[in-house]
PDB file of all heavy atoms in Angstrom:
ATOM      1  N   GLY A1104      16.568-121.937  36.639  1.00 89.00           N
ATOM      2  CA  GLY A1104      16.440-120.473  36.462  1.00 89.00           C
ATOM      3  C   GLY A1104      16.729-120.012  35.021  1.00 89.00           C
ATOM      4  O   GLY A1104      16.726-118.828  34.718  1.00 89.00           O
ATOM      5  N   VAL A1105      16.995-120.930  34.096  1.00 93.00           N
ATOM      6  CA  VAL A1105      17.293-120.563  32.733  1.00 93.00           C
ATOM      7  C   VAL A1105      16.104-120.810  31.818  1.00 93.00           C
ATOM      8  O   VAL A1105      15.492-121.874  31.869  1.00 93.00           O
ATOM      9  CB  VAL A1105      18.518-121.328  32.224  1.00 93.00           C
ATOM     10  CG1 VAL A1105      18.617-121.310  30.734  1.00 93.00           C
ATOM     11  CG2 VAL A1105      19.779-120.828  32.837  1.00 93.00           C
ATOM     12  N   GLU A1106      15.710-119.761  31.116  1.00 94.00           N
ATOM     13  CA  GLU A1106      14.657-119.966  30.122  1.00 94.00           C
ATOM     14  C   GLU A1106      15.330-119.827  28.733  1.00 94.00           C
ATOM     15  O   GLU A1106      15.967-118.832  28.407  1.00 94.00           O
ATOM     16  CB  GLU A1106      13.605-118.875  30.249  1.00 94.00           C
ATOM     17  CG  GLU A1106      12.419-119.080  29.352  1.00 94.00           C
ATOM     18  CD  GLU A1106      11.680-117.742  29.037  1.00 94.00           C
ATOM     19  OE1 GLU A1106      11.856-116.776  29.821  1.00 94.00           O
ATOM     20  OE2 GLU A1106      10.952-117.752  28.001  1.00 94.00           O
ATOM     21  N   VAL A1107      15.216-120.913  27.979  1.00 96.00           N
ATOM     22  CA  VAL A1107      15.912-120.935  26.695  1.00 96.00           C
ATOM     23  C   VAL A1107      14.967-120.436  25.555  1.00 96.00           C
ATOM     24  O   VAL A1107      13.809-120.797  25.459  1.00 96.00           O
ATOM     25  CB  VAL A1107      16.325-122.375  26.321  1.00 96.00           C
ATOM     26  CG1 VAL A1107      17.136-122.409  24.994  1.00 96.00           C
ATOM     27  CG2 VAL A1107      17.123-123.042  27.403  1.00 96.00           C
ATOM     28  N   VAL A1108      15.491-119.469  24.775  1.00 98.00           N
ATOM     29  CA  VAL A1108      14.697-118.974  23.601  1.00 98.00           C
ATOM     30  C   VAL A1108      15.542-119.201  22.375  1.00 98.00           C
ATOM     31  O   VAL A1108      16.786-119.299  22.434  1.00 98.00           O
ATOM     32  CB  VAL A1108      14.406-117.452  23.780  1.00 98.00           C
ATOM     33  CG1 VAL A1108      13.387-117.219  24.817  1.00 98.00           C
ATOM     34  CG2 VAL A1108      15.724-116.626  24.098  1.00 98.00           C
ATOM     35  N   GLU A1109      14.918-119.345  21.262  1.00 98.00           N
ATOM     36  CA  GLU A1109      15.571-119.600  19.974  1.00 98.00           C
ATOM     37  C   GLU A1109      15.549-118.400  19.049  1.00 98.00           C
ATOM     38  O   GLU A1109      14.544-117.709  18.935  1.00 98.00           O
ATOM     39  CB  GLU A1109      14.918-120.779  19.307  1.00 98.00           C
ATOM     40  CG  GLU A1109      15.098-122.148  19.943  1.00 98.00           C
ATOM     41  CD  GLU A1109      16.477-122.734  19.873  1.00 98.00           C
ATOM     42  OE1 GLU A1109      17.326-122.209  19.056  1.00 98.00           O
ATOM     43  OE2 GLU A1109      16.762-123.719  20.511  1.00 98.00           O
ATOM     44  N   ALA A1110      16.701-118.134  18.486  1.00 98.00           N
ATOM     45  CA  ALA A1110      16.737-117.108  17.444  1.00 98.00           C
ATOM     46  C   ALA A1110      16.080-117.527  16.195  1.00 98.00           C
ATOM     47  O   ALA A1110      15.895-118.749  15.974  1.00 98.00           O
ATOM     48  CB  ALA A1110      18.226-116.733  17.115  1.00 98.00           C
ATOM     49  N   GLU A1111      15.616-116.653  15.382  1.00 98.00           N
ATOM     50  CA  GLU A1111      14.966-117.067  14.172  1.00 98.00           C
ATOM     51  C   GLU A1111      15.880-117.895  13.331  1.00 98.00           C
ATOM     52  O   GLU A1111      15.535-118.932  12.738  1.00 98.00           O
ATOM     53  CB  GLU A1111      14.526-115.804  13.337  1.00 98.00           C
ATOM     54  CG  GLU A1111      13.445-116.156  12.337  1.00 98.00           C
ATOM     55  CD  GLU A1111      13.018-114.894  11.571  1.00 98.00           C
ATOM     56  OE1 GLU A1111      12.903-113.832  12.183  1.00 98.00           O
ATOM     57  OE2 GLU A1111      12.822-114.988  10.332  1.00 98.00           O
ATOM     58  N   ARG A1112      17.138-117.569  13.230  1.00 98.00           N
ATOM     59  CA  ARG A1112      18.113-118.364  12.528  1.00 98.00           C
ATOM     60  C   ARG A1112      18.866-119.183  13.601  1.00 98.00           C
ATOM     61  O   ARG A1112      19.667-118.625  14.388  1.00 98.00           O
ATOM     62  CB  ARG A1112      19.088-117.527  11.736  1.00 98.00           C
ATOM     63  CG  ARG A1112      18.384-116.962  10.439  1.00 98.00           C
ATOM     64  CD  ARG A1112      19.400-116.383   9.439  1.00 98.00           C
ATOM     65  NE  ARG A1112      20.413-117.415   9.000  1.00 98.00           N
ATOM     66  CZ  ARG A1112      21.333-117.102   8.044  1.00 98.00           C
ATOM     67  NH1 ARG A1112      21.428-115.918   7.571  1.00 98.00           N
ATOM     68  NH2 ARG A1112      22.160-118.042   7.705  1.00 98.00           N
ATOM     69  N   SER A1113      18.508-120.487  13.716  1.00 98.00           N
ATOM     70  CA  SER A1113      19.179-121.311  14.725  1.00 98.00           C
ATOM     71  C   SER A1113      19.300-122.716  14.114  1.00 98.00           C
ATOM     72  O   SER A1113      18.758-123.003  13.073  1.00 98.00           O
ATOM     73  CB  SER A1113      18.497-121.347  16.050  1.00 98.00           C
ATOM     74  OG  SER A1113      17.326-122.028  15.950  1.00 98.00           O
ATOM     75  N   ARG A1114      20.049-123.570  14.833  1.00 98.00           N
ATOM     76  CA  ARG A1114      20.343-124.976  14.428  1.00 98.00           C
ATOM     77  C   ARG A1114      20.901-124.919  13.000  1.00 98.00           C
ATOM     78  O   ARG A1114      21.797-124.162  12.760  1.00 98.00           O
ATOM     79  CB  ARG A1114      19.093-125.809  14.505  1.00 98.00           C
ATOM     80  CG  ARG A1114      18.579-125.938  15.980  1.00 98.00           C
ATOM     81  CD  ARG A1114      17.326-126.786  16.049  1.00 98.00           C
ATOM     82  NE  ARG A1114      16.730-126.760  17.359  1.00 98.00           N
ATOM     83  CZ  ARG A1114      16.896-127.703  18.261  1.00 98.00           C
ATOM     84  NH1 ARG A1114      17.465-128.840  17.964  1.00 98.00           N
ATOM     85  NH2 ARG A1114      16.306-127.594  19.425  1.00 98.00           N
ATOM     86  N   SER A1115      20.328-125.696  12.029  1.00 98.00           N
ATOM     87  CA  SER A1115      20.898-125.848  10.685  1.00 98.00           C
ATOM     88  C   SER A1115      20.912-124.504   9.908  1.00 98.00           C
ATOM     89  O   SER A1115      21.679-124.406   8.958  1.00 98.00           O
ATOM     90  CB  SER A1115      20.276-126.998   9.942  1.00 98.00           C
ATOM     91  OG  SER A1115      18.945-126.682   9.733  1.00 98.00           O
ATOM     92  N   THR A1116      20.016-123.588  10.244  1.00 98.00           N
ATOM     93  CA  THR A1116      20.020-122.349   9.561  1.00 98.00           C
ATOM     94  C   THR A1116      20.600-121.229  10.367  1.00 98.00           C
ATOM     95  O   THR A1116      20.503-120.086  10.023  1.00 98.00           O
ATOM     96  CB  THR A1116      18.548-121.932   9.140  1.00 98.00           C
ATOM     97  OG1 THR A1116      17.809-121.850  10.342  1.00 98.00           O
ATOM     98  CG2 THR A1116      17.889-122.910   8.208  1.00 98.00           C
ATOM     99  N   GLY A1117      21.336-121.595  11.471  1.00 98.00           N
ATOM    100  CA  GLY A1117      21.988-120.569  12.269  1.00 98.00           C
ATOM    101  C   GLY A1117      22.990-119.766  11.396  1.00 98.00           C
ATOM    102  O   GLY A1117      23.563-120.299  10.463  1.00 98.00           O
ATOM    103  N   MET A1118      23.198-118.507  11.849  1.00 98.00           N
ATOM    104  CA  MET A1118      24.135-117.669  11.073  1.00 98.00           C
ATOM    105  C   MET A1118      25.511-117.686  11.738  1.00 98.00           C
ATOM    106  O   MET A1118      25.601-117.615  12.957  1.00 98.00           O
ATOM    107  CB  MET A1118      23.698-116.281  10.839  1.00 98.00           C
ATOM    108  CG  MET A1118      24.405-115.643   9.672  1.00 98.00           C
ATOM    109  SD  MET A1118      23.971-113.929   9.341  1.00 98.00           S
ATOM    110  CE  MET A1118      25.146-113.032  10.387  1.00 98.00           C
ATOM    111  N   CYS A1119      26.527-117.736  10.948  1.00 98.00           N
ATOM    112  CA  CYS A1119      27.925-117.693  11.357  1.00 98.00           C
ATOM    113  C   CYS A1119      28.170-116.427  12.210  1.00 98.00           C
ATOM    114  O   CYS A1119      27.603-115.373  11.985  1.00 98.00           O
ATOM    115  CB  CYS A1119      28.791-117.682  10.128  1.00 98.00           C
ATOM    116  SG  CYS A1119      30.570-117.727  10.378  1.00 98.00           S
ATOM    117  N   CYS A1120      29.198-116.554  13.110  1.00 98.00           N
ATOM    118  CA  CYS A1120      29.652-115.366  13.931  1.00 98.00           C
ATOM    119  C   CYS A1120      30.615-114.535  13.113  1.00 98.00           C
ATOM    120  O   CYS A1120      30.922-113.392  13.477  1.00 98.00           O
ATOM    121  CB  CYS A1120      30.340-115.825  15.189  1.00 98.00           C
ATOM    122  SG  CYS A1120      31.880-116.659  14.880  1.00 98.00           S
ATOM    123  N   GLY A1121      31.165-115.109  12.064  1.00 98.00           N
ATOM    124  CA  GLY A1121      32.062-114.305  11.174  1.00 98.00           C
ATOM    125  C   GLY A1121      33.576-114.785  11.340  1.00 98.00           C
ATOM    126  O   GLY A1121      34.417-114.231  10.683  1.00 98.00           O
ATOM    127  N   ALA A1122      33.829-115.693  12.320  1.00 98.00           N
ATOM    128  CA  ALA A1122      35.224-116.041  12.554  1.00 98.00           C
ATOM    129  C   ALA A1122      35.757-117.198  11.730  1.00 98.00           C
ATOM    130  O   ALA A1122      36.971-117.421  11.653  1.00 98.00           O
ATOM    131  CB  ALA A1122      35.449-116.302  14.057  1.00 98.00           C
ATOM    132  N   GLY A1123      34.835-118.004  11.173  1.00 96.00           N
ATOM    133  CA  GLY A1123      35.245-119.191  10.489  1.00 96.00           C
ATOM    134  C   GLY A1123      36.078-119.009   9.228  1.00 96.00           C
ATOM    135  O   GLY A1123      36.127-117.862   8.759  1.00 96.00           O
ATOM    136  N   GLY A1124      36.659-120.112   8.780  1.00 97.00           N
ATOM    137  CA  GLY A1124      37.423-120.017   7.527  1.00 97.00           C
ATOM    138  C   GLY A1124      38.647-119.142   7.662  1.00 97.00           C
ATOM    139  O   GLY A1124      39.084-118.628   6.657  1.00 97.00           O
ATOM    140  N   GLY A1125      39.117-118.953   8.926  1.00 97.00           N
ATOM    141  CA  GLY A1125      40.299-118.097   9.151  1.00 97.00           C
ATOM    142  C   GLY A1125      39.907-116.611   9.100  1.00 97.00           C
ATOM    143  O   GLY A1125      40.835-115.764   9.234  1.00 97.00           O
ATOM    144  N   ARG A1126      38.625-116.306   8.981  1.00 97.00           N
ATOM    145  CA  ARG A1126      38.299-114.842   8.908  1.00 97.00           C
ATOM    146  C   ARG A1126      38.450-114.164  10.328  1.00 97.00           C
ATOM    147  O   ARG A1126      38.480-112.911  10.390  1.00 97.00           O
ATOM    148  CB  ARG A1126      36.885-114.603   8.386  1.00 97.00           C
ATOM    149  CG  ARG A1126      36.837-114.806   6.879  1.00 97.00           C
ATOM    150  CD  ARG A1126      35.699-114.034   6.246  1.00 97.00           C
ATOM    151  NE  ARG A1126      35.710-112.657   6.611  1.00 97.00           N
ATOM    152  CZ  ARG A1126      36.226-111.658   5.900  1.00 97.00           C
ATOM    153  NH1 ARG A1126      36.828-111.916   4.808  1.00 97.00           N
ATOM    154  NH2 ARG A1126      36.152-110.408   6.295  1.00 97.00           N
ATOM    155  N   MET A1127      38.623-114.919  11.375  1.00 97.00           N
ATOM    156  CA  MET A1127      39.030-114.425  12.640  1.00 97.00           C
ATOM    157  C   MET A1127      40.250-113.493  12.516  1.00 97.00           C
ATOM    158  O   MET A1127      40.429-112.564  13.281  1.00 97.00           O
ATOM    159  CB  MET A1127      39.367-115.613  13.534  1.00 97.00           C
ATOM    160  CG  MET A1127      40.002-115.295  14.852  1.00 97.00           C
ATOM    161  SD  MET A1127      38.742-115.098  16.089  1.00 97.00           S
ATOM    162  CE  MET A1127      39.691-114.988  17.550  1.00 97.00           C
ATOM    163  N   TRP A1128      41.138-113.843  11.536  1.00 97.00           N
ATOM    164  CA  TRP A1128      42.374-113.117  11.450  1.00 97.00           C
ATOM    165  C   TRP A1128      42.397-112.059  10.334  1.00 97.00           C
ATOM    166  O   TRP A1128      43.427-111.449   9.998  1.00 97.00           O
ATOM    167  CB  TRP A1128      43.503-114.168  11.135  1.00 97.00           C
ATOM    168  CG  TRP A1128      43.498-115.242  12.204  1.00 97.00           C
ATOM    169  CD1 TRP A1128      42.923-116.466  12.042  1.00 97.00           C
ATOM    170  CD2 TRP A1128      43.954-115.122  13.548  1.00 97.00           C
ATOM    171  NE1 TRP A1128      43.057-117.102  13.232  1.00 97.00           N
ATOM    172  CE2 TRP A1128      43.677-116.343  14.175  1.00 97.00           C
ATOM    173  CE3 TRP A1128      44.554-114.064  14.260  1.00 97.00           C
ATOM    174  CZ2 TRP A1128      43.879-116.588  15.512  1.00 97.00           C
ATOM    175  CZ3 TRP A1128      44.870-114.378  15.597  1.00 97.00           C
ATOM    176  CH2 TRP A1128      44.583-115.581  16.209  1.00 97.00           C
ATOM    177  N   ILE A1129      41.222-111.828   9.665  1.00 97.00           N
ATOM    178  CA  ILE A1129      41.120-110.908   8.620  1.00 97.00           C
ATOM    179  C   ILE A1129      40.337-109.643   9.125  1.00 97.00           C
ATOM    180  O   ILE A1129      39.226-109.775   9.661  1.00 97.00           O
ATOM    181  CB  ILE A1129      40.517-111.504   7.343  1.00 97.00           C
ATOM    182  CG1 ILE A1129      41.306-112.661   6.832  1.00 97.00           C
ATOM    183  CG2 ILE A1129      40.325-110.454   6.223  1.00 97.00           C
ATOM    184  CD1 ILE A1129      40.790-113.413   5.639  1.00 97.00           C
ATOM    185  N   GLU A1130      40.927-108.465   8.876  1.00 95.00           N
ATOM    186  CA  GLU A1130      40.229-107.242   9.278  1.00 95.00           C
ATOM    187  C   GLU A1130      38.905-107.098   8.570  1.00 95.00           C
ATOM    188  O   GLU A1130      38.859-107.444   7.337  1.00 95.00           O
ATOM    189  CB  GLU A1130      41.083-105.996   8.995  1.00 95.00           C
ATOM    190  CG  GLU A1130      42.318-105.883   9.857  1.00 95.00           C
ATOM    191  CD  GLU A1130      41.980-105.664  11.334  1.00 95.00           C
ATOM    192  OE1 GLU A1130      40.930-105.044  11.599  1.00 95.00           O
ATOM    193  OE2 GLU A1130      42.728-106.176  12.196  1.00 95.00           O
ATOM    194  N   GLU A1131      37.896-106.580   9.232  1.00 93.00           N
ATOM    195  CA  GLU A1131      36.600-106.410   8.615  1.00 93.00           C
ATOM    196  C   GLU A1131      36.222-104.954   8.603  1.00 93.00           C
ATOM    197  O   GLU A1131      36.362-104.286   9.637  1.00 93.00           O
ATOM    198  CB  GLU A1131      35.539-107.256   9.293  1.00 93.00           C
ATOM    199  CG  GLU A1131      34.585-107.961   8.335  1.00 93.00           C
ATOM    200  CD  GLU A1131      33.692-108.905   9.042  1.00 93.00           C
ATOM    201  OE1 GLU A1131      33.839-109.145  10.261  1.00 93.00           O
ATOM    202  OE2 GLU A1131      32.811-109.509   8.375  1.00 93.00           O
ATOM    203  N   ASP A1132      35.705-104.438   7.519  1.00 92.00           N
ATOM    204  CA  ASP A1132      35.120-103.082   7.416  1.00 92.00           C
ATOM    205  C   ASP A1132      34.018-102.973   8.529  1.00 92.00           C
ATOM    206  O   ASP A1132      33.121-103.833   8.577  1.00 92.00           O
ATOM    207  CB  ASP A1132      34.532-102.789   6.070  1.00 92.00           C
ATOM    208  CG  ASP A1132      34.002-101.400   5.879  1.00 92.00           C
ATOM    209  OD1 ASP A1132      33.546-100.857   6.858  1.00 92.00           O
ATOM    210  OD2 ASP A1132      34.117-100.933   4.767  1.00 92.00           O
ATOM    211  N   PRO A1133      34.093-101.954   9.415  1.00 89.00           N
ATOM    212  CA  PRO A1133      33.111-101.942  10.526  1.00 89.00           C
ATOM    213  C   PRO A1133      31.680-101.976  10.025  1.00 89.00           C
ATOM    214  O   PRO A1133      30.770-102.472  10.739  1.00 89.00           O
ATOM    215  CB  PRO A1133      33.496-100.588  11.200  1.00 89.00           C
ATOM    216  CG  PRO A1133      34.919-100.343  10.906  1.00 89.00           C
ATOM    217  CD  PRO A1133      35.128-100.933   9.558  1.00 89.00           C
TER     218      PRO A1133
END
Side-chain angles (χ1 to χ4, degrees):
V1105 164
E1106 186 204 342
V1107 186
V1108 288
E1109 291 286 349
E1111 197 178 322
R1112 287 191 62 176
S1113 72
R1114 298 179 188 257
S1115 63
T1116 58
M1118 198 182 92
C1119 183
C1120 68
R1126 283 206 53 94
M1127 169 92 170
W1128 307 100
I1129 299 177
E1130 289 296 328
E1131 222 172 356
D1132 182 329

